[in-house]
Amino acid sequence: MIWAPKMGLFSIPMLGFLLFCCLAVTAEATYLKYKDPKQPVGVRIKDLMNRMTLEEKIGQMVQIERSVATPDVMKKYFIGSVLSGGGSVPATKATPEIWVNMVNEIQKGALSTRLGIPMIYGIDAVHGHNNVYNATIFPHNVGLGVTRDPQLLKKIGDATALEVRATGIPYAFAPCIAVCRDPRWGRCYESYSEDHKIVQAMTEIIPGLQGNLPAKYKKGIPFVAGKNKIAACAKHYVGDGGTTNGINENNTVISLGGLLSIHMPAYYDSIRKGVATVMVSYSSWNGKKMHANHDLVTGFLKDKLKFRGFVISDWQGIDRITSPPHANYSYSVEAGISAGIDMVMVPYNYTEFIDDLTNQVKNKIIPMSRIDDAVRRILRVKFVMDLFENPMADLSLANQLGSKEHRELAREAVRKSLVLLKNGKSSNKPLLPLTKKTTKILVAGTHANNLGYQCGGWTITWQGQGGNDLTIGTTILKAIKNTVDPSTQVVYNENPDTDFVKSNKFSYAIVVVGEPPYAETFGDSMNLSISEPGPSNINSVCGAVKCVVVVISGRPVVIQPYLPTIDALVAAWLPGTEGQGVADVLFGDYGFTGKLARTWMKTVDQLPMNVGDPHYDPLFPFGFGLTTKPHQAEPKSH
Ligand code: GLC
């Protein structure tokens, strides 16, 4: 018998037993099945949803803009997601540390709620992490489609995921898998091709962004492989690239068969590859707003294609169900949520949205089952990407932002995206590849020394911007200077007159012209002209000396009037920060390999005109591209 003071009930063994019971009860009380990563995702979802109030469920369906996402708002309204709108940054030229601190500040607000559900932060990383200073800016999709290289796209996805995570963000609204059928559309550069088969192939960027699917994988389930990967977003569902005359957010008039054969196939591939989210298009199909289209969002995407991730609206997409937008908000909320939208990109009037939706559920206008479907899908994505286990961001990947390796990958993508449309006025006297060693050359044109122009829209700001200070990269002029022989004099004159050109006796000239940056509706164009003074740059230079014209544009532009004057013509699209890739090929360190992924029209009156159309009379047909052999010498390393 162990000596024990006369404590009766409170003998040491009894105290021990009581302590054990307390610990057991405490352990039981603090064990929350949904927080246990050993539990199957379905079990965690069910357990968590059983604990959630209507307010907490509706909060998960709300995505607000970072500028209004204070920790208090996150906590008070149980907000499930936050985004950076185009160009919305915590500071000018913000470092990864500033980004990570901002994301974590908002996350702490979400985690301070009763159930501690982490928020998911999304951003448009559509050609690299394009909002962020010093990020690698890859060619826009219009150029990547030319490469016809799915493995390259996968590497770009991998690099982009690392750079997005470098700033603490786990979700990107990419890829855009629009099939642009009319280059007058302001977003045509976000489309890989007019040919859905190329767009389908380019969905290989999704496993780059999200990670390779595991061996036993159930089709349709979202998949994101941990902290070096991010959730992707196939957008904009469906038919965004098929609107009448390319008018943005307008009406896609096409049969169901046409919709399914042209605009839908890349969604099959995206779902097969485990895409975590799908964003609905602002556009309409045969007069029905996609944001209100139950048949296509629920009936087809969710029920027929078995998509099990979450469907997100576009920015104020619910509001734009009516014309004018927000004209009847309750109708819009009912139509959008009933159609099958799970998360709503509000982004500012979240209290109005929450109140309206709560009302409609309480008044049984919107069934609780619809709310539960939405929340289940949102939680599924958050669970599969380990957001509950790793809600806080860190700086472990900070050095990935704009890394040399990623910039070299972007440079390779630039090389493969170039299309040689003309090479010399007579076939036996090609101008390209250019000689590196000569006396004096001229570099001219509005886009030769303009990093912002060569990056295009969705770069640092929503619309993009001119100049060389917006981020870090290599202009085409700098790339040319890097590449020519040191003895070659490079003269840069943005807007030379003919006398200047003639009097200088240049060996040849490189004229870089094109379009200014733009995004969305601001890019809609009914004339597709090269911006002034580009045409006069071409005429004053090419009329006086052998010239190669490099076109920087988000789509084919009207070039036929100048073609007779031009000796060589290169389509460079929107190459991004790594302009060195242009010089690599102009000077023969690499050969031209690119083939048009879009039809190049003669005049805009011909549009829309796509490969396979009966009346097909292009200036340069889909699939066209001249080739050159690289110089024998080893490529110069920079
Ligand atoms: C924009 C675009 C969409 C983008 C979203 C968030 O309006 O339509 O592509 O992902 O809003 O910036």
Side-chain angles (χ1 to χ4, degrees):
M1 165 71 168
I2 298 168
W3 179 82
K6 291 237 178 286
M7 296 166 70
L9 187 60
F10 293 102
S11 66
I12 287 180
M14 179 53 80
L15 279 175
F17 174 69
L18 287 174
L19 181 62
F20 169 76
C21 292
C22 291
L23 287 175
V25 167
T26 313
E28 178 54 37
T30 55
Y31 176 73
L32 298 167
K33 198 176 281 187
Y34 73 91
K35 289 203 171 182
D36 179 354
K38 293 190 294 301
Q39 290 291 342
V41 166
V43 170
R44 300 178 77 181
I45 292 171
K46 189 164 182 289
D47 178 65
L48 179 48
M49 288 188 66
N50 286 339
R51 301 168 189 270
M52 293 172 78
T53 63
L54 175 60
E55 288 69 21
E56 289 165 332
K57 289 181 178 177
I58 288 178
Q60 283 302 303
M61 298 170 65
V62 180
Q63 183 181 71
I64 64 176
E65 220 283 327
R66 55 160 286 280
S67 53
V68 296
T70 64
D72 288 347
V73 165
M74 297 302 291
K75 180 170 185 178
K76 183 176 179 186
Y77 296 97
F78 311 102
I79 302 295
S81 182
V82 177
L83 87 149
S84 275
S88 177
V89 298
T92 307
K93 299 186 180 179
T95 61
E97 186 169 8
I98 293 175
W99 278 97
V100 163
N101 290 341
M102 174 198 70
V103 172
N104 281 342
E105 212 39 48
I106 296 169
Q107 188 67 281
K108 283 177 200 157
L111 296 176
S112 67
T113 53
R114 181 176 72 92
L115 295 168
I117 302 173
M119 64 92 193
I120 182 169
Y121 194 107
I123 196 165
D124 291 279
V126 294
H127 62 137
H129 199 6
N130 45 261
N131 279 296
V132 175
Y133 180 77
N134 189 30
T136 307
I137 304 297
F138 290 89
H140 265 296
N141 291 352
V142 64
L144 296 182
V146 166
T147 71
R148 292 175 172 77
D149 186 342
Q151 289 315 305
L152 174 66
L153 267 284
K154 186 172 182 181
K155 289 176 193 166
I156 290 173
D158 181 61
T160 302
L162 289 169
E163 297 205 21
V164 172
R165 283 285 191 175
T167 59
I169 296 171
Y171 177 29
F173 308 124
C176 176
I177 55 174
V179 182
C180 172
R181 302 291 285 174
D182 191 322
R184 291 172 291 186
W185 185 36
R187 306 193 72 167
C188 206
Y189 66 78
E190 297 183 65
S191 168
Y192 292 111
S193 175
E194 68 191 39
D195 177 359
H196 65 84
K197 293 189 289 300
I198 291 180
V199 179
Q200 288 180 263
M202 297 299 110
T203 59
E204 200 56 21
I205 194 169
I206 291 171
L209 291 166
Q210 298 191 156
N212 293 323
L213 296 179
K216 49 183 188 6
Y217 163 72
K218 193 162 182 293
K219 177 175 165 295
I221 300 284
F223 177 79
V224 182
K227 291 175 71 177
N228 289 3
K229 296 296 181 185
I230 59 175
C233 178
K235 72 183 187 181
H236 312 78
Y237 183 82
V238 65
D240 50 348
T243 58
T244 304
N245 294 340
I247 300 168
N248 191 41
E249 301 186 21
N250 203 263
N251 191 21
T252 295
V253 181
I254 192 169
S255 68
L256 177 59
L259 189 77
L260 296 182
S261 60
I262 296 172
H263 300 285
M264 192 64 83
Y267 286 93
Y268 305 146
D269 296 274
S270 300
I271 292 167
R272 183 167 49 78
K273 295 175 182 182
V275 74
T277 74
V278 169
M279 185 183 294
V280 180
S281 176
Y282 287 125
S283 57
S284 303
W285 175 52
N286 294 339
K288 175 91 175 160
K289 280 278 182 182
M290 279 309 306
H291 273 74
N293 196 317
H294 179 273
D295 289 348
L296 284 175
V297 176
T298 297
F300 197 82
L301 179 64
K302 292 184 173 180
D303 295 349
K304 186 166 176 56
L305 298 190
K306 302 281 182 256
F307 172 64
R308 306 281 299 285
F310 68 76
V311 174
I312 185 168
S313 81
D314 204 331
W315 177 282
Q316 295 174 334
I318 293 267
D319 307 59
R320 299 184 200 180
I321 286 173
T322 56
S323 178
H326 204 271
N328 180 344
Y329 195 59
S330 290
Y331 163 73
S332 291
V333 171
E334 183 195 354
I337 300 303
S338 305
I341 291 172
D342 303 311
M343 182 178 283
V344 178
M345 192 182 288
V346 179
Y348 303 115
N349 59 319
Y350 51 91
T351 55
E352 180 189 24
F353 173 74
I354 291 168
D355 292 347
D356 196 290
L357 180 54
T358 305
N359 244 332
Q360 296 205 44
V361 175
K362 287 183 173 173
N363 292 314
K364 306 213 181 313
I365 298 167
I366 294 176
M368 194 63 211
S369 58
R370 178 67 272 279
I371 302 300
D372 286 340
D373 173 53
V375 175
R376 195 171 297 119
R377 290 168 177 271
I378 292 165
L379 294 179
R380 181 175 296 124
V381 170
K382 291 184 175 183
F383 279 125
V384 300
M385 65 188 290
D386 295 336
L387 204 51
F388 281 77
E389 283 65 53
N390 305 300
M392 303 310 287
D394 60 41
L395 285 166
S396 55
L397 295 172
N399 63 352
Q400 292 288 330
L401 190 73
S403 72
K404 184 167 177 14
E405 184 190 350
H406 294 168
R407 289 180 185 274
E408 282 302 304
L409 177 65
R411 179 177 170 181
E412 175 190 355
V414 172
R415 289 194 293 261
K416 293 180 174 177
S417 69
L418 305 178
V419 183
L420 182 56
L421 298 172
K422 181 179 182 182
N423 190 9
K425 285 180 178 163
S426 58
S427 56
N428 59 3
K429 277 195 176 171
L431 180 60
L432 300 179
L434 297 169
T435 50
K436 293 182 182 179
K437 186 176 175 53
T438 183
T439 45
K440 188 165 52 169
I441 66 173
L442 169 66
V443 179
T446 48
H447 290 54
N449 184 32
N450 198 314
L451 191 63
Y453 280 9
Q454 72 189 51
C455 288
W458 290 106
T459 309
I460 305 300
T461 61
W462 175 42
Q463 291 295 315
Q465 61 194 68
N468 292 337
D469 185 44
L470 73 165
T471 191
I472 295 170
T474 306
T475 63
I476 292 170
L477 171 64
K478 180 76 174 78
I480 292 165
K481 289 179 174 175
N482 289 341
T483 309
V484 297
D485 187 281
S487 64
T488 301
Q489 186 188 352
V490 178
V491 174
Y492 168 60
N493 184 332
E494 182 179 329
N495 189 13
D497 58 32
T498 306
D499 292 346
F500 173 84
V501 180
K502 282 182 176 163
S503 61
N504 267 282
K505 295 193 184 349
F506 296 110
S507 307
Y508 55 76
I510 302 168
V511 185
V512 191
V513 294
E515 294 187 298
Y518 51 77
E520 304 193 44
T521 306
F522 291 96
D524 284 3
S525 167
M526 292 302 138
N527 59 44
L528 294 179
S529 58
I530 292 174
S531 55
E532 282 302 336
S536 49
N537 293 157
I538 294 172
N539 290 329
S540 58
V541 173
C542 299
V545 69
K546 279 199 179 311
C547 76
V548 49
V549 171
V550 178
V551 178
I552 301 294
S553 64
R555 55 209 162 176
V557 289
V558 175
I559 196 77
Q560 187 181 33
Y562 322 109
L563 206 50
T565 322
I566 293 169
D567 295 281
L569 177 64
V570 175
W573 316 109
L574 297 171
T577 49
E578 306 315 306
Q580 191 62 50
V582 176
D584 288 346
V585 183
L586 284 180
F587 289 93
D589 287 344
Y590 293 82
F592 278 94
T593 58
K595 305 292 180 193
L596 285 178
R598 303 202 55 76
T599 298
W600 200 295
M601 73 283 161
K602 288 173 178 164
T603 67
V604 289
D605 306 338
Q606 296 180 297
L607 300 176
M609 178 172 64
N610 295 287
V611 60
D613 287 357
H615 309 293
Y616 194 66
D617 176 31
L619 182 62
F620 300 108
F622 174 90
F624 180 78
L626 301 175
T627 58
T628 55
K629 291 215 180 322
H631 285 320
Q632 293 318 312
E634 277 303 300
K636 209 170 144 187
S637 60
H638 300 286

